[in-house]
Structures are given as C-alpha cells and as structure tokens.
Amino acid sequence: MALWSTVATAFELGLRDLQPAALLAGANLVAVVTLFLIAAGLGRLGALRDLRAADCRRALLLGALNPALYYLVLFEAYDRLPGQVAQPLNYTWAMTLSLLAVPVLGHRLRAGELGAMVIAWAGVAVIASGGRLDRLVADDPIGIALALGSTLIWASYWLLAARDRREPVTGLLLNFCFALPLTIGFAAATGAGLRATPLALGAILWIGVAEMGASFVLWLLAMQRARSTAGISTLIFLSPFLSLVLLSTLAGEAIRPATLYGLALIVLGLLLQRRAAPVLP
C-alpha cells in the first residue's frame, strides 16, 4: 500500500521531463530487471524451463495490455491532468471490472452494487468537474476519458490474468519481457527520447521498481500468506488519501476541496460495492 501511494507523485514528476512513451519504456526495462532479480531471489526461475508456446502467447497478450497499453494510456492521462484528478479516476477500475464481468463472465449486478456505483460515479463527476456540478464541464475531456479508459484496460487485464495458471512471479516477469520490445519500439517510432535528468531517471527507477515490480510481487505474497484477504485488501482504500498527501508535499499540487469530496464518494462507493458484490473467479 505504501508503495502504491507514491506512484502518482512519481508519475507527475517523471512527466515533467519525459514524454509518456519514454517514461513507459524506461520503467518497463527497470521492471524487467527488478522482476528477474525477485524471481531469482525467490527461487522461481525454474518455472521458465516448463514454458510452452501457449504460455508465450499468453505473455504477449497480457504484456500488450499491461504494462504496454495500460500504462501508456495512464501516463497520457497524467500528462494532461493534475495527479489529484487522474489518480482517483483511475481508482474506479473496480467498478469497471464489475460492469465488464456482466458480459464476459455472465455475472448479474445486484441492487446494492448498482447503488454503490451511483455513489462512486457521483464522486467521479465531482472530481472531473472540479466541483462545478451545475455545469459538469471538465478542464480536459480527453484527459478524463484517458483516465477512465485506463480502468477498462486494467479490468480486461485482470479478467484474463485471473485465469492464468502460470507461476505468478515468473508469469509477471514474462509479461513485462514480451512488452519491452513494444514499449521501446513505440517510444522510438514516436520520437520520445530519454532525457537523462536526475528527475527523469529517478522517476523511471522508482516506477519500475516500486510500481511495476516490487508492489505486485509483495501483493501476491501478502494474498498468499494472509489469513484473511479481506483484511489486507481493505488497506488499499487508504492508498489514494496517502497519495494526495504526497502529491501536495512532493509534487507541490494544491489539493482542491472537490478532489477530497469526490475521492471520499469514490472510496465509499467502492467499499459498499465490495460488500455487495460476489467474489470474481
């Protein structure tokens, strides 16, 4: 949770010196090295010997979704929006997941889930409009669309990854390995060069290690060892509030009252939805 709370600030700082595609390519490379070292330290590299062609195809598909497409869209959103706007909007991915599970998994939405979604989407409207609900005018409609669109990509990735039978750590490593040529190739094709400033390099290292590497592995291990997954998953709801503190203190963003009100509604809606929703497979 602590690592995830820092990434919105890292995104904002890194995008001051880098284009989104360059930030993604650099962070992807660092994540590959990080995940390789973690997999080696945990003794999981042996799983790579049993790879089949189907595993490589799955790694290419999942890697194209995350990190390639997901982070490219998310970084573009952060490049257009203040972190205090992009981060809470991206946090609504759980609602998108529930909606996507209806046609994909055949789930039915309960009345409690729909009510919770209305509360959370009200929070989205507050943040997107800056509290100007009488006009509902967004400062950057494209940025808002990208931030919300990233939730669709992440939810799609989650649904596919939930049925992945590969060893989790090496599976994640393979996804990032197969994504690396895509992210580097896109950065090169769009002319997104790497500026070796201390701020840019620091952001690349932190995002690659903390956001794309260690945080996912730590979460997997926590879920495996916890007596109750509900207990640790609830901690995630503290992350966006800690993120706002860091955005204010480190990135210098003045947090708007509308952001706090909207985020409170989003988190309330997600908590209520979590209580009402069935467990996804």
Side-chain angles (χ1 to χ4, degrees):
M1 182 191 69
L3 292 178
W4 275 325
S5 299
T6 66
V7 295
T9 301
F11 294 168
E12 283 292 314
L13 295 177
L15 289 168
R16 291 179 182 178
D17 285 350
L18 293 171
Q19 296 179 40
L23 181 60
L24 172 57
N28 191 168
L29 177 59
V30 172
V32 167
V33 176
T34 301
L35 290 168
F36 180 85
L37 294 175
I38 292 175
L42 294 174
R44 306 287 178 89
L45 291 179
L48 296 176
R49 292 194 296 265
D50 302 322
L51 282 179
R52 300 169 298 172
D55 295 322
C56 294
R57 289 194 295 270
R58 176 170 288 272
L60 178 59
L61 171 61
L62 292 177
L65 284 175
N66 173 47
L69 184 58
Y70 170 67
Y71 280 104
L72 181 62
V73 171
L74 186 60
F75 288 168
E76 289 285 354
Y78 270 89
D79 199 35
R80 288 175 166 270
L81 301 170
Q84 63 181 290
V85 174
Q87 191 260 5
L89 297 186
N90 174 253
Y91 205 68
T92 62
W93 67 267
M95 291 192 302
T96 308
L97 177 61
S98 293
L99 292 173
L100 201 59
V102 173
V104 175
L105 300 179
H107 285 188
R108 296 180 62 184
L109 289 176
R110 303 176 182 182
E113 287 182 89
L114 291 173
M117 288 181 182
V118 170
I119 294 174
W121 281 110
V124 170
V126 170
I127 292 174
S129 66
R132 302 187 298 272
L133 292 176
D134 56 329
R135 293 186 295 161
L136 276 180
V137 177
D139 292 333
D140 190 325
I142 295 177
I144 298 294
L146 288 170
L148 294 175
S150 71
T151 68
L152 179 61
I153 300 168
W154 179 251
S156 301
Y157 169 81
W158 198 99
L159 288 172
L160 291 172
R163 299 186 175 187
D164 191 355
R165 296 296 178 260
R166 297 174 300 163
E167 195 285 317
V169 178
T170 53
L172 194 61
L173 169 61
L174 281 175
N175 296 350
F176 276 76
C177 285
F178 276 84
L180 188 57
L182 302 178
T183 57
I184 292 178
F186 184 78
T190 57
L194 178 63
R195 296 179 59 192
T197 65
L199 188 63
L201 294 177
I204 285 173
L205 288 172
W206 187 255
I207 294 169
V209 173
E211 159 73 353
M212 297 181 176
S215 61
F216 282 106
V217 175
L218 289 172
W219 179 251
L220 286 172
L221 296 177
M223 293 290 283
Q224 290 173 356
R225 299 183 182 185
R227 294 182 179 179
S228 170
T229 57
I232 60 172
S233 60
T234 301
L235 294 175
I236 292 300
F237 292 96
L238 297 176
S239 175
F241 295 101
L242 293 175
S243 182
L244 290 183
V245 173
L246 294 175
L247 281 169
S248 176
T249 56
L250 298 181
E253 283 195 18
I255 305 302
R256 308 168 185 169
T259 298
L260 295 174
Y261 300 146
L263 180 56
L265 288 172
I266 290 173
V267 171
L268 175 61
L270 292 175
L271 283 169
L272 292 174
Q273 181 203 17
R274 184 175 174 275
R275 294 183 62 181
V279 177
L280 289 173

